[in-house]
């Protein structure tokens, strides 16, 4: 049997061995934005062959763009050097291609990591003033962000550009801008967070303007032979919020600017959201974006079984599938899925002997 999930896939000049992606996962383990030994283990285990592509956790473009004090960043030489050490390590021992997610937390920053409650930092915990399109808090009990001025918008665009230059120097194969989960770029998209009365607010074409400007600026400095995509929440799951139809409009505009893929997720912009969680619950949105825009799509959200992932790709509903919790639970996910599907996965050379196909009766 030929597995669709294990068919190689090419994005610009980058050849992926299969359609499986390790989804970005914040670790809240960094020191002033810098990666450390934790990241060697966290990303190293996945680079050994968990998937064809491993994407880093949200890597923030400025200190104020972080979610918590412990988030990863790429705004200093120290951040760049420490992340390069991790990526060189993954490259030396692993087989997966390596991507980076660049992000700005917007009004959802200045909080504790989720394991410590995820609530806004108190006045004696070194909080910072968050930024957003409009002075509207994420929810009750959250501080209102400062509304970004024109100068502020230019500064943030420049921070994305500088972080992208650093990521390119580090040698990442692929880049992804985070415009989902209620963080800054998503806040511009959604009428629930963006109530500006300038050309960045109001109609859909205005709300998509800043994310498009950021994408265009980053694409301008990102190497031409490396893919760049965007993670987008296809809906806010709240009445009056950002809609799947608008996601398609955004996808078409991004495609025209040289975007290589959309990573389609949903929600996390507004605590009133009602998400009908179920296996593959975001797949219909990925499928819609793919069909109506022609853009390559990655589906994510409660995809955990090999046959489920195989069916999504084989039916042409998504080009790639990203896994977070399921692949954290089983960092050999691709090896095991290949076994279930009668396909072959790439192994790190030192581990080739653990593939049951290679087992010999002798332990020698
Ligand atoms: C520990 C953890 C950290 C996460 N951090 C990020 C992140 O940094 N950026 C992001 O876009 N999504 C993040 N997510 C969301 C995942 O990438 C993914 O979209 C979500 O968990 C649904 O996929 P799953 O059902 O396979 O876990 C995180 C999820 C988890 C479990």
């Amino acid at each position: 049997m030929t597995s669709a999930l294990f068919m190689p896939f090419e994005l610009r000049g980058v050849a992926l061995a299969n359609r499986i992606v390790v989804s970005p996962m914040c670790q809240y383990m960094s020191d002033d934005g810098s990666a450390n030994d934790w990241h060697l283990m966290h990303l190293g285990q996945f680079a050994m062959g968990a998937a064809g592509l491993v994407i880093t956790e949200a890597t923030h473009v400025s200190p104020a763009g972080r979610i918590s004090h412990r988030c990863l960043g790429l705004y200093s030489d120290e951040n760049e050097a420490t992340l390069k050490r991790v990526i060189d390590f993954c490259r030396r021992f692993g087989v997966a291609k390596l991507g980076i997610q660049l992000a700005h937390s917007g009004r959802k920053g200045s909080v504790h990591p989720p394991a410590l409650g995820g609530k806004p930092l108190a006045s004696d915990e070194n909080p910072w003033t968050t930024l957003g399109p409009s002075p509207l808090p994420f929810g009750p009990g959250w501080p209102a962000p400062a509304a970004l001025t024109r100068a502020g918008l230019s500064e943030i665009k420049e921070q994305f550009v500088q972080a992208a230059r650093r990521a390119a120097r580090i040698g990442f194969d692929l880049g992804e801008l985070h415009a989902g989960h209620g963080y800054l770029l998503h806040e511009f998209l959604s009428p629930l967070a963006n109530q500006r009365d300038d050309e960045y607010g109001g109609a859909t074409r205005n709300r998509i303007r800043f994310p498009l400007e950021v994408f265009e600026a980053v694409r301008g400095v990102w190497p031409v032979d490396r893919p760049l995509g965007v993670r987008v929440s296809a809906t806010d799951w709240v009445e009056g919020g950002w809609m799947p139809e608008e996601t398609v409009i955004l996808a078409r505009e991004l495609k025209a600017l040289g975007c290589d893929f959309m990573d389609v997720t949903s929600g996390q912009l507004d605590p009133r959201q009602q998400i009908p969680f179920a296996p593959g619950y975001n797949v219909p949105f990925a499928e819609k974006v793919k069909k109506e825009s022609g853009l390559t799509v990655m589906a994510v959200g409660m995809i955990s079984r090999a046959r489920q992932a195989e069916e999504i790709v084989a039916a042409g509903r998504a080009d790639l599938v990203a896994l977070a919790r399921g692949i954290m639970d089983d960092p050999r996910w691709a090896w095991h899925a290949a076994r279930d599907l009668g396909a072959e996965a790439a192994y790190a050379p030192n581990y080739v002997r653990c593939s049951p196909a290679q087992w010999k009766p002798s332990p020698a």
Side-chain angles (χ1 to χ4, degrees), residues 23-27 30 55-61 65-67 71-74 100-104 176 178 183:
S23 200
M25 282 180 271
C26 279
Q27 296 301 296
S30 305
I55 306 183
T56 64
E57 68 195 88
T59 306
H60 301 97
V61 300
R66 290 177 299 171
I67 301 167
C71 283
L72 192 62
L74 195 45
I100 185 166
Q101 185 184 60
L102 293 177
H104 190 297
E176 173 179 285
H178 199 351
Y183 297 115

Side-chain angles (χ1 to χ4, degrees), residues 22-28 56-60 67 101 103 176 178 180-181 183 231 263 265 281-282 300-304 322-328:
V22 175
S23 200
M25 282 180 271
C26 279
Q27 296 301 296
Y28 308 99
T56 64
E57 68 195 88
T59 306
H60 301 97
I67 301 167
Q101 185 184 60
E176 173 179 285
H178 199 351
H181 294 170
Y183 297 115
R231 174 167 267 206
D263 176 359
T265 178
Y281 68 100
N282 290 320
V300 65
M302 295 183 71
I303 299 168
S304 59
L323 288 80
R325 290 163 295 182
I327 217 155
M328 206 174 10

Side-chain angles (χ1 to χ4, degrees), residues 59-282:
T59 306
H60 301 97
V61 300
S62 71
R66 290 177 299 171
I67 301 167
S68 74
H69 285 300
R70 300 301 306 276
C71 283
L72 192 62
L74 195 45
Y75 45 77
S76 73
D77 292 347
E78 176 72 9
N79 294 166
E80 184 177 333
T82 53
L83 191 54
K84 178 163 172 27
R85 170 176 173 255
V86 172
I87 295 311
D88 288 350
F89 173 88
C90 292
R91 195 76 79 196
R92 181 165 168 222
F93 298 112
V95 293
K97 292 286 192 284
L98 303 165
I100 185 166
Q101 185 184 60
L102 293 177
H104 190 297
S105 59
R107 68 179 185 174
K108 285 178 75 179
S110 190
V111 297
H112 290 286
L116 299 175
K119 293 275 181 277
L121 297 172
S123 56
D124 60 351
E125 292 171 325
N126 200 11
W128 63 89
T129 302
T130 58
L131 300 168
S134 305
L136 300 165
F138 171 64
W142 286 64
L148 279 157
T149 60
R150 256 158 221 285
L153 292 179
S154 301
E155 197 182 336
I156 284 175
K157 201 191 307 178
E158 185 56 22
Q159 289 165 350
F160 270 97
V161 163
Q162 292 307 333
R165 285 189 203 276
R166 290 184 186 279
R169 277 201 296 268
I170 288 172
F172 280 101
D173 299 299
L174 169 148
E176 173 179 285
L177 305 186
H178 199 351
H181 294 170
Y183 297 115
L184 185 68
L185 299 181
H186 183 180
E187 289 159 22
F188 272 85
L189 299 176
S190 173
L192 298 174
N194 178 352
Q195 291 176 11
R196 295 175 75 97
D197 54 13
D198 62 3
E199 71 269 37
Y200 293 99
T204 307
R205 68 173 182 286
N206 287 349
R207 283 181 277 114
I208 66 177
R209 193 182 304 278
F210 185 58
L212 289 175
E213 283 182 5
V214 171
F215 179 86
E216 192 172 17
V218 171
R219 186 65 266 182
V221 298
W222 189 243
V224 284
D225 58 346
R226 298 191 216 169
L228 184 67
V230 182
R231 174 167 267 206
V232 177
S233 286
T235 171
D236 291 336
W237 296 113
V238 178
E239 188 83 27
W242 173 252
M243 306 290 288
E245 290 67 31
E246 296 180 293
T247 306
V248 172
I249 294 169
L250 175 65
R252 290 188 186 130
E253 296 287 333
L254 284 167
K255 191 169 176 228
L257 293 174
C259 180
D260 297 292
F261 66 93
M262 185 178 275
D263 176 359
V264 184
T265 178
S266 67
Q268 314 305 336
L269 179 111
D270 188 311
R272 293 171 296 173
Q273 65 187 13
Q274 296 291 329
I275 305 184
F277 288 114
Y281 68 100
N282 290 320

